[in-house]
Amino acid sequence: MKDDLGKLCALLFACEGKAYSFRRLKIVIYALSEGSKETLNLPKIFSYKFDGNDFAGPDDDDLRDDLQWLNDAGYILAKKTSLEKCSEHTLYELTEKGKEIGIIAFSQLDEESKKALFKISNDLKNLPEYPVAKLLEKYAPNWEKIQLEILRKS
């Protein structure tokens, strides 16, 4: 299994098995990959580049493909849902098979990476305290600047 696939399961495992909204998930994965260069004191856990762009900021096709693969292979369940007063988003949940992979991948991380996953997962699963705007402010302070740079290059 590709290294990032297991780590995606480990992140969801740290989030008690589920994460709400692709955009929220994308922000924290960015912080644990390219965003780790922004002096957030987070280790680089993922290898995603975030060199693409979509309407919601920097994007990575490999991340989208990996989440789709995990869903198709039965490691996660991605389903459309909406919370009270929110628009429809995707809820990503580990299946039993995905939980097994998440536990194994999590156990193989160094201590700094384990602490980072738990720290970031606490914010990711705390929807009332950390809406998208707060996650961006905390974990991707240069998000808009990066999006502009990508748009200039295209």
Side-chain angles (χ1 to χ4, degrees):
M1 178 176 277
K2 185 178 151 196
D3 200 31
D4 281 336
L5 294 171
K7 290 175 183 176
L8 286 170
C9 291
L11 174 61
L12 290 172
F13 170 72
C15 291
E16 299 174 0
K18 61 185 174 186
Y20 181 72
S21 166
F22 175 72
R23 188 163 185 212
R24 294 171 55 76
L25 193 58
K26 181 169 77 164
I27 291 165
V28 299
I29 292 170
Y30 168 81
L32 294 167
S33 52
E34 287 301 297
S36 64
K37 297 175 186 173
E38 293 183 21
T39 65
L40 297 173
N41 293 325
L42 293 170
K44 184 174 181 173
I45 296 174
F46 296 99
S47 64
Y48 300 112
K49 300 291 182 213
F50 288 89
D51 52 4
N53 195 34
D54 75 357
F55 72 95
D59 198 44
D60 191 292
D61 288 338
D62 290 336
L63 172 58
R64 288 178 182 275
D65 292 345
D66 286 352
L67 287 168
Q68 186 62 53
W69 187 90
L70 287 169
N71 185 63
D72 292 346
Y75 292 97
I76 66 171
L77 194 63
K79 58 185 176 185
K80 296 289 183 191
T81 188
S82 59
L83 296 176
E84 192 175 309
K85 299 180 185 177
C86 292
S87 59
E88 186 175 84
H89 292 282
T90 303
L91 176 67
Y92 299 91
E93 289 185 280
L94 283 177
T95 62
E96 282 303 313
K97 191 163 90 166
K99 185 177 178 184
E100 291 173 23
I101 296 299
I103 291 169
I104 292 167
F106 187 83
S107 71
Q108 294 173 342
L109 295 171
D110 60 54
E111 287 306 310
E112 179 186 21
S113 296
K114 288 178 185 175
K115 286 179 187 174
L117 277 187
F118 274 127
K119 176 183 182 230
I120 217 164
S121 70
N122 283 330
D123 295 340
L124 181 60
K125 64 187 176 186
N126 188 349
L127 282 166
E129 291 294 317
Y130 282 95
V132 168
K134 271 190 141 175
L135 283 175
L136 280 169
E137 182 181 311
K138 185 171 183 177
Y139 294 112
N142 293 323
W143 192 265
E144 289 177 1
K145 179 182 167 190
I146 293 164
Q147 185 175 15
L148 287 173
E149 288 174 15
I150 292 168
L151 286 171
R152 282 188 197 124
K153 290 177 184 176
S154 58

